[in-house]
Amino acid sequence: MAMSESACNYLPIDGSDHETPRQPKSCTPFAKPFGFIFILVQIVELSIILVLTMSLHHAWQDIPPHPYLPLHDYAKTVNFDVIFHAEDIDARIYNHTFWRSFIPASGGIVSIPSTSTIVPDQATMPSPLDSSHLLYQVSVFHSLHCLEAVKWAITGEGDKYNIPDLRTVHAPHCIDWIRQELMCNADLTLNTMYQEMTVPHQCRDFDRILEWTKKNSFNGSLDSIGFHNSHN
């Protein structure tokens, strides 16, 4: 674009104080206004990106109405509560009510619409209550059920549940399942050498996972699908 000489600044070339048109110092008309507008646009764009990012973050943290929930995004810092005293062991290990507080009545079996994005590409059992839904079990609840089965076998508590081959088949299967899940979800926290002292662990938010599982639980008879999970 053609530019008038009046829009330029000039430097003297002979040491005098007056300006001559033979050595331009700068020739940037409207530089300040355009520079200010450019910076203002950048600030507005960054503000919009920040607002959208925060909105998406809050949306991910809320439980959506859709049955699918990105459970892997649920995380929290947890200090493990280590027990040694007999009264604590009795209250936690042998207390049936305590175990029922974190294992849903469905044993963690959920009913998910077959059209949901959470449905993996693997065959599973259709819900006997709704043919448009498929049944799955959230893995952590299978492991907790297995751990409880091992407890039943050790304490003799399982005798009243009439579980076939509890000690010879079911409990050994469960021990090996728990081994694999521990290796799969290896916790890399560096614990102290003093067992009574724990350090923070980066965990999944179990309370929210439990809430989602209960919300989407299969409410039919567990016997009808061949699953045993004592919740009496």
Side-chain angles (χ1 to χ4, degrees):
M1 179 180 68
M3 190 175 303
S4 65
E5 291 187 0
S6 62
C8 303
N9 294 324
Y10 295 91
L11 293 175
I13 60 175
D14 57 0
S16 62
D17 293 333
H18 66 278
E19 294 182 342
T20 72
R22 292 195 293 175
Q23 185 175 342
K25 177 175 65 176
S26 63
C27 201
T28 54
F30 311 113
K32 289 184 178 180
F34 275 115
F36 174 76
I37 292 173
F38 175 78
I39 294 174
L40 182 61
V41 169
Q42 295 299 308
I43 292 174
V44 171
E45 289 180 349
L46 289 174
S47 300
I48 293 174
I49 293 173
L50 179 62
V51 169
L52 290 175
T53 301
M54 293 180 65
S55 299
L56 288 173
H57 175 74
H58 289 301
W60 289 335
Q61 296 302 312
D62 295 331
I63 294 181
H66 192 279
Y68 171 61
L69 180 69
L71 298 178
H72 293 270
D73 294 338
Y74 281 6
K76 66 186 297 186
T77 300
V78 176
N79 286 312
F80 287 6
D81 183 13
V82 181
I83 61 172
F84 289 102
H85 303 294
E87 59 270 21
D88 295 329
I89 293 174
D90 289 341
R92 191 176 301 181
I93 305 304
Y94 306 119
N95 189 318
H96 190 72
T97 303
F98 173 74
W99 285 78
R100 295 281 68 76
S101 68
F102 54 79
I103 301 180
S106 67
I109 297 175
V110 293
S111 178
I112 303 295
S114 58
T115 56
S116 173
T117 56
I118 193 177
V119 174
D121 187 21
Q122 293 186 15
T124 188
M125 182 184 298
S127 170
L129 303 180
D130 185 347
S131 59
S132 68
H133 282 57
L134 299 174
L135 299 184
Y136 296 91
Q137 185 180 31
V138 180
S139 189
V140 63
F141 295 108
H142 180 219
S143 293
L144 287 170
H145 160 73
C146 263
L147 185 60
E148 188 174 37
V150 173
K151 178 177 78 79
W152 291 340
I154 293 174
T155 63
E157 183 183 358
D159 294 341
K160 62 183 178 181
Y161 299 133
N162 299 317
I163 303 175
D165 303 317
L166 174 62
R167 292 180 177 83
T168 58
V169 177
H170 197 69
H173 148 77
C174 279
I175 290 173
D176 200 56
W177 176 273
I178 295 170
R179 173 192 65 81
Q180 292 179 77
E181 184 151 285
L182 286 172
M183 294 171 67
C184 175
N185 299 285
D187 185 349
L188 301 179
T189 303
L190 297 178
N191 290 319
T192 69
M193 298 303 294
Y194 304 99
Q195 290 184 323
E196 68 274 12
M197 298 175 61
T198 65
V199 296
H201 292 248
Q202 293 300 315
C203 304
R204 298 241 168 86
D205 191 334
F206 185 81
D207 290 336
R208 301 197 72 180
I209 295 172
L210 179 61
E211 179 184 356
W212 180 87
T213 303
K214 288 182 175 179
K215 181 178 179 181
N216 296 282
S217 284
F218 169 65
N219 296 318
S221 168
L222 297 182
D223 291 335
S224 69
I225 59 174
F227 183 86
H228 177 87
N229 182 58
S230 173
H231 55 275
N232 298 320

